[in-house]
């Protein structure tokens, strides 16, 4: 969905926000998932009007770009550190079993 296809409303309800994320960014995120994120954290920020969550386009765009991460040219490209340093070898410090 390009900018010219955006609805003229400045905010989207959950179901429309999920559809927007799917159509514009290819992110499979249901309205139920957005609801879960709203209660547990980790999702896009939103306005609450009475019991309705309203998601601004700018926040959906920001969150989607952050979720997608950097472009990678190779499957072994690492964006979150080296996998070998993510795990410590604790076998040497483990107590011996007798």
């Amino acid at each position: 969905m390009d900018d010219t296809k955006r609805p003229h409303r400045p905010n989207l309800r959950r179901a429309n926000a999920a559809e927007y994320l799917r159509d514009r960014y290819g992110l499979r995120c249901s309205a139920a998932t957005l609801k879960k994120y709203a209660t547990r954290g980790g999702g896009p920020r939103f306005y609450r009007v009475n019991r309705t969550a309203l998601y601004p386009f700018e926040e959906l765009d920001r969150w989607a770009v952050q979720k997608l991460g950097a472009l990678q040219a190779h499957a072994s490209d690492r964006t979150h550190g080296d996998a070998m340093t993510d795990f410590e070898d604790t076998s040497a410090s483990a107590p011996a079993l007798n």
Side-chain angles (χ1 to χ4, degrees):
M1 178 184 290
D2 62 23
D3 290 339
T4 60
K5 293 184 181 179
R6 280 185 176 178
H8 294 289
R9 333 182 262 281
N11 303 303
L12 296 175
R13 291 178 180 238
R14 264 195 196 111
N16 298 109
E19 182 180 348
Y20 174 76
L21 290 169
R22 185 193 69 230
D23 292 347
R24 183 165 175 107
Y25 295 99
L27 294 175
R28 295 177 60 183
C29 183
S30 69
T33 300
L34 289 175
K35 184 176 182 178
K36 180 178 75 169
Y37 286 149
T39 58
R40 296 184 183 172
R45 295 179 300 177
F46 59 94
Y47 296 109
R48 176 153 326 259
V49 179
N50 298 323
R51 295 179 60 187
T52 303
L54 297 174
Y55 295 86
F57 283 105
E58 294 78 18
E59 181 58 21
L60 292 170
D61 293 335
R62 184 204 62 79
W63 181 79
V65 168
Q66 178 185 0
K67 186 114 173 122
L68 288 171
L71 285 174
Q72 295 183 336
H74 194 274
S76 65
D77 287 351
R78 301 203 193 292
T79 58
H80 299 291
D82 187 358
M84 296 306 290
T85 60
D86 291 343
F87 302 100
E88 291 183 26
D89 182 9
T90 58
S91 60
S93 61
L97 298 176
N98 294 338

